[in-house]
Amino acid sequence: MNCPVCKEPMIVLELDQVEIDHCLSCKGIWLDAGELELLLKDADSGKAFLTAFKSAGPVAEKQRRCPICRKKMEKVNFAGDPPVLIDRCRREHGLWFDEGELNRIILPASGERGSVAGLLKDMFGKNIDGEIRNSPENTE
Ligand SMILES: [Zn+2]
Ligand SMILES: [Zn+2]
């Protein structure tokens, strides 16, 4: 698979026994839907994780193309303060993280390193809790 930024072939990294694609030139990381499912240990969480992000609207950052379907990806905000701008394939093939973006998301402020799966799960849980609390159906 080629990097959506530099178009060079990416290498495969193993993280918690899940293979993820990494570009050595720009240090970006591609997580596809199947890899997310494996990291989160179930298909529903993987799918929900992919669709949990909100579109960032028009931004200055250059658009990238999905390495799987070659369509332009959408810029979305990953929860955080400040939010991290990442690229998501509109067909839910996966997520693209520029250098450092995944670290900003998965490394707690303390800098202590936990498992990627655990941290993604934490993030995912918070994200979804927030969504549920904020939806009108649940404000009784
Ligand atoms: Zn690259
Ligand atoms: Zn795609």
Side-chain angles (χ1 to χ4, degrees):
M1 204 183 298
N2 288 343
C3 170
V5 179
C6 359
K7 319 286 192 272
E8 307 215 0
M10 291 188 279
I11 60 154
V12 173
L13 285 181
E14 202 180 289
L15 253 175
D16 287 351
Q17 290 160 10
V18 178
E19 292 181 344
I20 63 173
D21 301 284
H22 175 60
C23 174
L24 287 174
S25 306
C26 68
K27 309 280 192 280
I29 288 173
W30 169 255
L31 277 179
D32 75 28
E35 291 158 354
L36 276 171
E37 283 173 18
L38 287 170
L39 278 171
L40 296 163
K41 312 275 192 262
D42 85 85
D44 288 347
S45 301
K47 173 106 176 150
F49 190 82
L50 258 180
T51 52
F53 308 113
K54 293 199 169 56
S55 170
V59 293
E61 200 175 271
K62 198 170 182 292
Q63 284 200 308
R64 279 80 185 247
R65 288 176 186 273
C66 170
I68 293 174
C69 66
R70 306 270 165 203
K71 301 278 179 209
K72 279 182 183 161
M73 292 192 281
E74 179 181 25
K75 301 285 180 190
V76 294
N77 282 321
F78 197 112
D81 193 19
V84 180
L85 195 63
I86 60 174
D87 299 85
R88 176 183 63 184
C89 170
R90 293 171 200 270
R91 298 177 178 193
E92 295 167 20
H93 288 134
L95 300 169
W96 173 256
F97 299 88
D98 288 317
E99 180 182 11
E101 287 179 348
L102 191 59
N103 281 1
R104 279 176 61 195
I105 291 162
I106 66 176
L107 290 180
S110 67
E112 200 182 312
R113 199 178 186 107
S115 83
V116 174
L119 289 162
L120 278 177
K121 222 169 207 167
D122 280 355
M123 281 299 308
F124 174 62
K126 276 178 207 153
N127 209 320
I128 291 302
D129 283 354
E131 297 289 318
I132 291 166
R133 267 198 299 275
N134 291 334
S135 71
E137 293 81 10
N138 289 302
T139 47
E140 295 243 347

